[in-house]
Every structure is written in C-alpha cells, then in structure tokens.
Amino acid sequence: MIDKTIIKELEEIVGPKNVLSRKVDLVTYSYDATSDMPKQAPDIVVLPTTTTEVQRIVNLAQEQGLAIYPRGAGTNLSGGTIPLKKGIVLSFQRMSTIIEVDPDNLTATVQPGVVIQELNNAVAPFGLIYPPDPGTVATATMGGSIAENSGGLRGLKYGVTKHYVMGMEVVLANGDKVRFGGKTVKNVTAYDFANLFVGSEGTLGIVTEITVKLIPSPKYRRSMMCLFKKLEDAGNTVTGIIKSQVIPATLEIMDKMTIETVENYTRIGLPTDVEALLLVEVDGMAEEVVEREAQAVAKVVKENCGELKLAGSDAERDQLWAARRAALPALAQLNPTVVLEDATVPRTRVTDMLLSCQKIAKKYDLKMGTFGHAGDGNLHPTILTDANNKEEMERVHKAVDEIFATALSFGGTLSGEHGIGMAKMRYLGDEIGESGLRMMRSVKEALDPHYLLNPGKMVPAKEA
Amino acid sequence: MTIAGVEKSRGTATLYDELGPVREELNKCMKCGNCMAVCPVYLTDKAEAGVARGKIAVAEAVLSGELDIVDPDVVAMLFNCLVCKSCMQNCPTKVNFDRIMLALRAAIVRKKGLHPLKNMIFSLLKQPKLFDAGMKVGAALQGLAFRDDPSKKAISPRSPFAFVGKNYGFDLHRSLPELAPTPFRDWVPEVVKVKDAKTRAAFFTGCSVNYFYPQVGEDVVEVFKENRVQINIPKDQQCCGIAVFVHGDVKTVRELARKNLDAVEKSGAEYLVTACGSCGGAWQHEYSELLGDDPVYGPKAAYWSARTYDISTFLTKVIDYRLPTGKVEAVVTYHDSCHLKKTMKVSQEPRQILMSIPGVKFKEMAKPDACCGSGGSYLLTHYDTSKEIAQRKVADINQTQADQVTTGCPACMMQLLDHVGRFGRGQKIAHYISLLAESYRREKSGGNGNVR
C-alpha cells in the first residue's frame, strides 16, 4: 500500500480528480489487451495534463523509489502496460490536446493522449493523413503507439510509426525535460534520439509531446482479393509482387482456418474451398500508375495459379477489409483464450514461415489460424486455446517457443509490431545475444539507473 | 466458449437471479478496449472505470471475491453506466454488456436491498392509481416551482427553486417538458375505430408519452387513423419497467411485465406498437428474457415479443403506409435513440418516413447514434456527465444547420430539450411521428393546417 502522504502530494500536483486510489479503480488498470498475462493492480493511478506535472510526479517517484508505468489506452499486445511491480500508473488519457496542425510544413504536434483516429480526423480537411494504422486506431493513443512503434495494414508502403516521428519532448527518469527534433525535414543535430525513444516501450523516458510528419492522402486505389488452392502459391505471389517492383499499400494474407472462421462469423461470402487468400490494395496520386500496378499484380497472381477478384465499388472494397478486420475477432469467438503472435520474416521466407506454422500447429495438436501483413513478412499465427486448460497451455507455450525459433532461423525477428513487453522478454537473448542484452542494459541504466520506468518490460534486469 | 453455450444462457433468466452465469458473458471479453471508442461515459471521464472493459474487470474481481459487490465504491462504479449499449455495437466478440450490467445491479439489490427512496418510488409504480394521482398532483403544482416558457413548449425552474436545485442541474437554464394537466390515456378513448380497418394494433404509450408528451400520443393516433388501422390503447397498461430494471429491481419489472402482458392480451389486437425505444425494447427482449421460466407468462412474452414493432417499422414493413402529401417546410435531422437503434435495431425506418414528407429537407448529423446522455434516470444521478455527453451531441446537431431535431424516444426528447436549450440554436425538438401526423393534417386543411 502506498502512504497517505504520497497520495496527498500527488493530489497537490495534479488535483484530486486526477488521482485514483480506490481499489475499484486500481483493478481497472491491472491489465491491457494482452491475453495469457498475469494481472497486477498498481498502488495508484495518476492522470497528468501537463509536462510540468509529469516532471513533478517523476521527482516524487524517484524520492520514494516508486515504479512508473506510462500508459495510453492500454491496447497493446505485449503486456507492456501491466504494473508488474506495483507503483504508479501514469495514464495519459486526459493529456490529449492536438497542439497544432501545420499543413504548410506537413506536420502535426500532439500531446501523448491524442487518439490516432482523432489526429487523422483533424488533418483530413487539409487532404492529409498520418499513415500508421494499427488495428486499434480508433482507441490507441499517439503516446502509446510511439512507445510501441506500432505498425498496421499500410506498413508495407508507408512504413511504421518510427518513420513519422520528427521530434519530441521527453521527461527523463531524473525529472529532466528534453526536447529534440522538430519540424525540419532534415536534422542531424546530436544523436537520433527520436528513434531511440520510439519503440522504447516506456522504459527510457516519458514522452510528453510529439511532432509527426503528415503526407498527402492518396487519391486513387484499387483493391482486390486473390484466391489460391495451395498455400505455397499465395506465399510465392507475395514475393512475386514485390519482385515485379510494385509496392502495394496493403498486402494481407489469410490461411484456410482463418478464412473459414471469418466466413462463419460474418457470412460475407468468402470462398471456403481455398487454402489461402490475399487481399491487395495499390494506391497513389495518379490513376494510370495505380491501374498499371493493379495489372502487374494481376499478372503475378495468374502466374501463380491464383484467381483474382477486383472490388468494383467502394462497398465491395469495404467488404474485403471488413473480412480482414474480422480475422482476429472471429478467431477469438471460438475459444476463451487467444494467443496472438507477430513473428516476422524476410518477405522471401513468407511461404516457408506459413508452412512451418501449419506444421507446428499439427505437431502440438493445436488450433491455429494464421493471417497477417504478408507483404512485410509480418505474420500473426494465432493459437486458440483455454488458459484454464493447464496441459494444453503447456503445448501452447512450446509451440510459441518453436514459432520464434523458426522465425529467427529464417533471419526474422521476434516481433514485427507488437513489441517485447513482458510477453517476449525471455526470448530477447535468442535474437540479440548476450552482447545485445548488455547494450540494452547499458542504455537503460544510463537513462534510468534504478529501473523505475516500466520495470519488468523489454530489458531483463541484471541477475542480482 | 462455444456459440451453443451462449445460446443456452440466453434462454434462461437466472442471470438476474444469481450471479454465477454472468461469468460466461465475462469470459467473452478480450480486453481489446474497442469499447473506449464509443462509450459516452469514458469519452467524458477518460478513465478505465467508465468503460465496459473496466467494469468487466471489476465484475471479475467481484466473482473471484477480490471485491465486494456492495462496497459503496463498487456500487457507484456499476451505476456510472447509461446502459446505452454503444459498446456492444463495437464489440468484436459480441459481449452482451447490458446483461452483465443488469445482472450485477440485480445482485446488489439482492444483497443489500433497494435504496429506501428508490424502494418508495418503485413501489408506487406498482400501484398505478397512486402513481397516476401523484403525477396529477405534480402537474397541478408545477407552476409553483417552474415558470412556463411557451417559446420552447417547456418549463424552467423559478429562481428560489433554481438556487436550491442548481447542484442537481435544476438551474435557471434547465428546460423540462411540462407535466400534462390531463394524462394522455385519461382522455383518449380506449378504442379508436376506423372504417374498413386493415388490422388492429394496440398502442403501448409508455409513461413519458402519457404524462409529458400527450401530443405525441395524439399524433400516433392520427397516423393510425390515416392508415386505417384500428387502435386500442389499453387503459390498464402500466410503466414498462425498464426504469426499475436498470436499478436492479427485478421483482418489480417482472410484476409490471405480467400486468402489461395481461392488459395487451385483453385488447385482442394483432400487433403491439410503441413510440419509445425503451418500452419497445422491453416488449421485444427483456420481457421474454425475464419471464423465460414462467410457464404462463413466458410463452405470452415470447408471443408478443414477435409482434411488437416501433411505429416506424410497423408503418414501413408491416403495413404499407400511405405516403403523405401535406407540405411541412422544415430542415430536419434525426438522433438515433440508443434503445431504438441498439435494442430494437430501428434506424432506417424513421429516416425513410421523414424523407417521404413533402417539404422536409433531411440533414444527417455526424455520429447520429452517439448517445445523448439521458439514460433515463442517469441524467438525474449523474447530471454533470450527462450534460457533457449532451453537449457533444448538440455540437453535432448545430453543425447540420437543421431547425428541427427529431428522434424516436421521449426520454431523448427531454434530454435534447434541456441541452439544445443550453447549447443549441433554438432548434425545435420533435418525435419523428409528429412530422408525419402534421403532414397528414395539412392534407385535410389544404396545406396549412394547425401548425404546432
């Protein structure tokens, strides 16, 4: 339990309304969107609204030796915001002002609690978009997505969060406020700190303001669905499209299990007699370029024995993406627990990875559907299970171990977009080795020597 | 969890009699947080305790014994929900959050009883004569505390009362509908006969139409007459009971449901028609769920569940309503009442009716199905949150430049009356059916009938 005087001090800093200390409130910050994770309620939740407040809270936490867990909307899939060692959850839900949209410089500056979709709504009147689009755009915050370096469906062509962060303000563990980067397109002053903090999962500092890059909204697009009788053909089509030098905005795959489940759930009319389908969207500013790219895709699909269906209208396009968006919820309907991974491989190994996932599911006798962002090699093998079934969960954990080992053996990575958090921390050494772990600790300890910022996540602490 | 498992629990009413079965519903929640995008309370408070996901976590803690359901903090948190069902529209795994909420509230009442004040008011509902007498006394005395504002067809608190009431939203700028001097059902005949009737329908008026908006009742009757439907307004119908159900009073709602089923059955009508999303929803869903195990009333509730329609659905899907020709010049927008759209699944029909009226220019507002913040008694218990929710709604209404805001639920009408009064631009508030009735009336008076 936290001392009454500390509660009082926090209330003085942010006002009593922005301090939550009743048990009923604490329970609601004991989880995030990650399944199969331990729950832990914090000692207290504080909702700051200014950078100065954040600095004062950090100073108090340092004095008292309390851990701090920065939190946006808590929609991450790595257990990244669970207050594992108790202490203060620092929720940015109420620090959510869009400070500026600058259409002439193609930038926007926001507070961390701004929801991604709200930023997109604010820039849409200028014909601009902020491209990173994780599945949770309507709820996830800018601060959270920067901490997690979120990806999304458009990552293949438009990149991920780190490609759009131009500058930020950060409060460090010692209470210092630092600002770096800004509105200039070029900036090589000092280290590239923006890229150090993006994806740092709240373990290095607390982001309090962000300046991001905006781009003109693409004017034309063509969407299509491609059906395959063999999984290999779908995988080879992915490689083939990239090889023909077309970069679609979106290139998604669903395996048979996922297709059947989505069709059962939505009755959209997906064919269930195929092994895999690809959803492809090409877009751009010039109609003839988009048309040429669509034809190039069609050619590759044909060469790989696929059947192509073009979305003829916006309604048909919406239906295609509704099917893709339904993948996770549809799979989630089947079982109480869904273990969703995001192992990622080089694009040329997508076929190998898909086949390996099927083999692993069979080997451990598990229900697994695989879908994901095939175009950037970022797959989501999704295991359907029940956390109450101890014996099955053991098999699930073994299968997950093997999925990661396989991805690494193909030259891939543990996580393409969900982050390490607490869910994948124990695998970290497998990818970056002992020297990598030492470097992680050096960076962490330089900025947060007492491991007060989001402890138990991403950086395995030294053995005592 | 299998789909079959869900179906099984839906067939019984035990969820409201014991808390155990609620676990099945809780297990469906993945904690994805999609509910945060639409929850009106969360969007106002910006704290996890406001949103469905947070309340589900608390429910889990209650079931595991970590929290006590009658802990005042838990009770307060569970009542900070409008039961608007917006979260359910956005839920990928289709958690029936309304059932969770109502099951928990019922459990609170089972364990510690109803709050004495609630108990007094709810008991009154079960004694229709007493309730009716009380409402009439209120109507006679309202002039003491409220001043009439004829420009809005509303009343506002007089200054001494506003001074006391301002902490509960009863300040000088609060607009409320006037209590009708004579309730609707007191003067409307029990049967309104028409020549060559196509069919016979019973009209379940609900309390708001009966006591606050009798002219809406009158408009419903007008529309039925114009469409050659014989209408029966059972005299012994009572409150639908939803208002007490959301406070966990399962016993009273069951009692009211049985009385209403008897009253409507006696009318001999083929259909039941409502002009209020909450009442219609009760007939379509809650009654059969609550009385599922009752050998006598269970089958009756199921029978009427399939024969209950919002008046817009009845006009457009059951009978082929006669297109009106009287001109009503108005720029109109439409607010989707939560219970009408999210419980009764009615949203296109009222728009279809409005657009069929000559002279009506229809303007859609942004997020027409965002909750207005009324939540029945929520606006009394949580006036500040309710007001902030309504303020966002009125901002969307103002954007449309419409001069009339229509909706299909009298509770929303009351909320809009108050907050369009505070934040709007003098837009008129109306039930959509009133515009259709107006158009029919103008046919008869050669295009300029009695303008309201």
Side-chain angles (χ1 to χ4, degrees):
Chain A
M1 261 314 271
I2 200 163
D3 189 324
K4 276 230 168 74
T5 58
I6 298 176
I7 299 182
K8 223 160 170 195
E9 276 186 65
L10 287 168
E11 286 181 344
E12 268 162 32
I13 296 172
V14 294
K17 265 173 82 176
N18 292 321
V19 176
L20 310 176
S21 58
R22 299 176 311 172
K23 199 172 171 194
V24 67
D25 282 314
L26 301 180
V27 165
T28 65
Y29 290 85
S30 65
Y31 54 80
D32 56 31
T34 321
S35 66
D36 193 22
M37 285 288 123
K39 274 186 190 170
Q40 175 61 56
D43 290 316
I44 197 156
V45 180
V46 187
L47 299 107
T49 52
T50 67
T51 303
T52 314
E53 287 173 5
V54 174
Q55 284 181 280
R56 292 179 63 192
I57 296 162
V58 169
N59 287 333
L60 179 68
Q62 276 290 358
E63 250 167 58
Q64 302 291 337
L66 288 166
I68 296 184
Y69 309 85
R71 179 182 168 109
T75 55
N76 73 86
L77 296 169
S78 63
T81 48
I82 297 170
L84 205 55
K85 307 200 165 159
K86 302 186 88 169
I88 302 172
V89 163
L90 198 61
S91 165
F92 283 91
Q93 286 160 308
R94 291 179 187 167
M95 190 160 159
S96 55
T97 306
I98 296 175
I99 297 166
E100 184 196 46
V101 175
D102 181 350
D104 299 337
N105 276 310
L106 297 180
T107 64
T109 301
V110 299
Q111 287 190 322
V114 169
V115 170
I116 304 170
Q117 185 63 51
E118 282 169 10
L119 175 61
N120 265 310
N121 294 346
V123 303
F126 303 101
L128 300 172
I129 57 168
Y130 170 71
D133 65 337
T136 48
V137 272
T139 49
T141 64
M142 291 294 290
S145 64
I146 270 138
E148 299 290 327
N149 191 7
S150 311
L153 294 179
R154 289 193 286 223
L156 173 57
K157 181 170 179 178
Y158 294 103
V160 299
T161 302
K162 72 173 175 189
H163 300 117
Y164 292 88
V165 178
M166 299 174 74
M168 52 171 82
E169 178 188 85
V170 179
V171 172
L172 300 176
N174 63 8
D176 280 357
K177 177 178 86 177
V178 286
R179 292 179 73 96
F180 41 80
K183 288 188 185 179
T184 61
V185 173
K186 292 179 173 176
N187 181 332
V188 292
T189 304
Y191 293 132
D192 186 0
F193 286 123
N195 261 325
L196 176 64
F197 284 91
V198 173
S200 65
E201 302 188 6
T203 61
L204 298 181
I206 301 164
V207 178
T208 48
E209 192 185 296
I210 310 136
T211 297
V212 295
K213 179 168 89 174
L214 307 170
I215 65 164
S217 173
K219 289 196 170 54
Y220 302 94
R221 61 192 179 201
R222 300 283 264 165
S223 308
M224 51 211 119
M225 176 166 72
C226 325
L227 311 169
F228 299 90
K229 296 277 183 207
K230 279 165 70 186
L231 194 58
E232 291 92 321
D233 290 339
N236 294 337
T237 301
V238 172
T239 321
I241 290 171
I242 307 295
K243 214 193 258 174
S244 70
Q245 301 196 340
V246 171
I247 308 291
T250 309
L251 177 43
E252 296 288 306
I253 194 164
M254 286 157 90
D255 72 352
K256 188 179 176 65
M257 163 92 178
T258 310
I259 300 167
E260 281 173 0
T261 313
V262 167
E263 181 51 23
N264 252 333
Y265 179 63
T266 60
R267 304 278 169 208
I268 274 174
L270 296 179
T272 47
D273 58 342
V274 295
E275 278 299 316
L277 68 75
L278 294 176
L279 295 170
V280 190
E281 184 165 289
V282 288
D283 69 0
M285 303 305 278
E287 198 171 9
E288 64 275 17
V289 176
V290 173
E291 191 49 49
R292 209 181 316 136
E293 289 191 343
Q295 280 165 11
V297 171
K299 187 163 164 263
V300 177
V301 172
K302 207 172 154 198
E303 284 165 6
N304 286 285
C305 314
E307 184 194 339
L308 184 115
K309 290 186 173 173
L310 205 68
S313 63
D314 278 354
E316 277 178 38
R317 171 186 183 268
D318 290 347
Q319 211 168 31
L320 289 185
W321 296 117
R324 167 60 184 85
R325 275 192 299 273
L328 179 58
L331 288 167
Q333 296 268 311
L334 297 181
N335 285 68
T337 308
V338 180
V339 176
L340 172 71
E341 293 305 343
D342 73 324
T344 301
V345 294
R347 287 182 279 233
T348 47
R349 304 307 294 269
V350 165
T351 308
D352 297 332
M353 190 65 199
L354 286 167
L355 293 170
S356 299
C357 286
Q358 281 192 342
K359 264 189 226 147
I360 293 168
K362 209 165 167 196
K363 177 173 169 189
Y364 293 100
D365 189 22
L366 293 168
K367 239 193 275 179
M368 190 196 301
T370 300
F371 61 94
H373 321 301
D376 45 34
N378 182 194
L379 297 176
H380 292 312
T382 303
I383 305 172
L384 310 176
T385 178
D386 181 352
N388 295 318
N389 183 341
K390 283 228 169 70
E391 183 273 325
E392 187 171 279
M393 285 312 284
E394 263 174 45
R395 282 184 279 128
V396 170
H397 294 145
K398 278 187 190 149
V400 170
D401 289 352
E402 207 163 317
I403 289 171
F404 287 139
T406 308
L408 293 180
S409 77
F410 291 151
T413 181
L414 296 170
S415 177
E417 59 181 3
H418 295 168
I420 298 301
M422 52 196 273
K424 277 170 271 198
M425 197 167 72
R426 68 177 186 282
Y427 302 103
L428 203 55
D430 298 344
E431 182 166 338
I432 64 171
E434 266 311 309
S435 57
L437 288 176
R438 274 197 300 277
M439 184 175 72
M440 292 272 292
R441 286 189 199 111
S442 303
V443 175
K444 169 77 177 170
E445 287 163 15
L447 289 167
D448 178 21
H450 305 299
Y451 285 78
L452 287 186
L453 298 178
N454 207 7
K457 317 292 164 55
M458 201 179 202
V459 195
K462 253 183 310 215
E463 299 296 326
Chain B
M1 152 103 31
T2 60
I3 301 294
V6 179
E7 291 306 324
K8 194 178 130 243
S9 72
R10 194 168 287 158
T12 65
T14 51
L15 196 66
Y16 307 115
D17 302 294
E18 53 169 321
L19 206 48
V22 88
R23 190 182 293 276
E24 211 171 313
E25 209 59 67
L26 299 176
N27 283 343
K28 284 156 71 179
C29 175
M30 302 195 291
K31 307 283 190 300
C32 69
N34 279 8
C35 38
M36 286 186 285
V38 291
C39 173
V41 174
Y42 172 75
L43 292 173
T44 309
D45 287 352
K46 292 287 185 78
E48 282 273 336
V51 78
R53 172 173 83 162
K55 292 193 166 77
I56 286 173
V58 166
E60 286 165 351
V62 164
L63 283 177
S64 71
E66 202 186 322
L67 283 171
D68 185 355
I69 195 162
V70 295
D71 173 337
D73 290 343
V74 175
V75 173
M77 190 246 207
L78 293 177
F79 275 93
N80 190 15
C81 166
L82 292 140
V83 202
C84 68
K85 312 190 191 189
S86 299
C87 51
M88 291 163 60
Q89 315 303 303
N90 222 28
C91 179
T93 54
K94 303 198 167 101
V95 176
N96 290 299
F97 185 68
D98 58 337
R99 304 174 82 226
I100 294 176
M101 205 67 249
L102 297 174
L104 287 162
R105 291 179 183 181
I108 292 170
V109 171
R110 274 199 310 279
K111 195 157 172 192
K112 70 165 207 176
L114 270 174
H115 185 279
L117 185 67
K118 283 184 191 173
N119 194 23
M120 196 182 83
I121 299 169
F122 298 169
S123 307
L124 203 58
L125 284 177
K126 289 186 277 192
Q127 300 176 46
K129 287 216 175 92
L130 214 56
F131 177 53
D132 194 58
M135 293 304 267
K136 283 173 191 159
V137 171
L141 298 181
Q142 60 190 340
L144 293 176
F146 296 94
R147 71 201 141 76
D148 202 10
D149 182 351
S151 68
K152 295 193 280 201
K153 295 183 76 64
I155 54 176
S156 296
R158 290 187 189 279
S159 60
F161 293 94
F163 181 74
V164 180
K166 64 177 187 273
N167 295 330
Y168 309 94
F170 286 96
D171 57 28
L172 286 170
H173 305 287
R174 175 77 178 266
S175 305
L176 297 130
E178 197 178 354
L179 264 171
T182 316
F184 176 65
R185 294 198 300 265
D186 276 21
W187 54 264
V188 73
E190 189 156 13
V191 181
V192 182
K193 290 217 162 106
V194 292
K195 255 198 264 174
D196 309 319
K198 280 190 215 169
T199 183
R200 283 166 298 136
F203 175 35
F204 187 79
T205 70
C207 300
S208 307
V209 165
N210 192 40
Y211 294 109
F212 291 103
Y213 291 113
Q215 73 276 15
V216 172
E218 202 182 336
D219 294 337
V220 167
V221 172
E222 173 74 18
V223 168
F224 274 116
K225 284 203 291 202
E226 288 298 324
N227 283 284
R228 291 195 290 112
V229 176
Q230 178 177 310
I231 175 168
N232 188 308
I233 303 137
K235 286 275 185 234
D236 37 6
Q237 61 175 288
Q238 298 177 26
C239 168
C240 72
I242 288 300
V244 301
F245 189 27
V246 299
H247 285 276
D249 189 352
V250 177
K251 194 166 157 252
T252 302
V253 66
R254 279 198 174 115
E255 211 169 300
L256 290 167
R258 290 191 182 100
K259 286 181 180 168
N260 282 325
L261 284 162
D262 284 340
V264 168
E265 190 176 50
K266 222 169 63 185
S267 75
E270 289 179 65
Y271 301 99
L272 180 72
V273 175
T274 55
C276 164
S278 304
C279 298
W283 280 92
Q284 277 187 350
H285 302 281
E286 278 88 359
Y287 284 2
S288 44
E289 200 182 346
L290 283 161
L291 300 172
D293 286 344
D294 185 321
V296 179
Y297 286 92
K300 286 188 193 190
Y303 176 89
W304 285 103
S305 157
R307 280 164 183 77
T308 298
Y309 295 95
D310 179 66
I311 183 160
S312 64
T313 316
F314 183 76
L315 291 174
T316 55
K317 306 239 166 93
V318 180
I319 64 166
D320 201 6
Y321 80 113
R322 180 173 74 72
L323 289 177
T325 58
K327 204 163 187 185
V328 179
E329 295 277 5
V331 184
V332 176
T333 191
Y334 177 77
H335 159 66
D336 282 293
S337 133
C338 290
H339 288 176
L340 195 52
K341 180 171 182 189
K342 295 157 196 168
T343 307
M344 297 183 79
K345 312 288 175 206
V346 175
S347 65
Q348 276 320 302
E349 301 93 315
R351 290 175 169 82
Q352 184 188 333
I353 288 172
L354 287 168
M355 287 186 235
S356 74
I357 300 170
V360 164
K361 243 193 233 136
F362 187 79
K363 288 269 182 78
E364 198 75 80
M365 69 177 89
K367 292 179 264 166
D369 61 353
C371 177
C372 68
S374 161
S377 51
Y378 183 89
L379 76 92
L380 298 173
T381 53
H382 299 79
Y383 190 75
D384 289 340
T385 310
S386 170
K387 184 172 158 186
E388 249 188 270
I389 297 168
Q391 195 169 356
R392 290 196 295 267
K393 178 100 247 171
V394 177
D396 288 339
I397 291 170
N398 289 342
Q399 283 286 320
T400 64
Q401 308 288 333
D403 51 42
Q404 282 209 39
V405 192
T406 59
T407 185
C409 191
C412 301
M413 286 171 70
M414 287 188 215
Q415 172 81 344
L416 291 171
L417 179 73
D418 183 11
H419 297 288
V420 164
R422 288 176 193 273
F423 311 113
R425 299 181 184 152
Q427 296 95 328
K428 277 206 286 184
I429 317 295
H431 196 289
Y432 67 83
I433 204 67
S434 298
L435 274 77
L436 179 62
E438 185 62 33
S439 177
Y440 284 143
R441 285 193 192 99
R442 290 191 183 192
E443 291 170 359
K444 289 179 273 190
S445 60
N448 56 56
N450 56 349
V451 182
R452 284 168 190 280

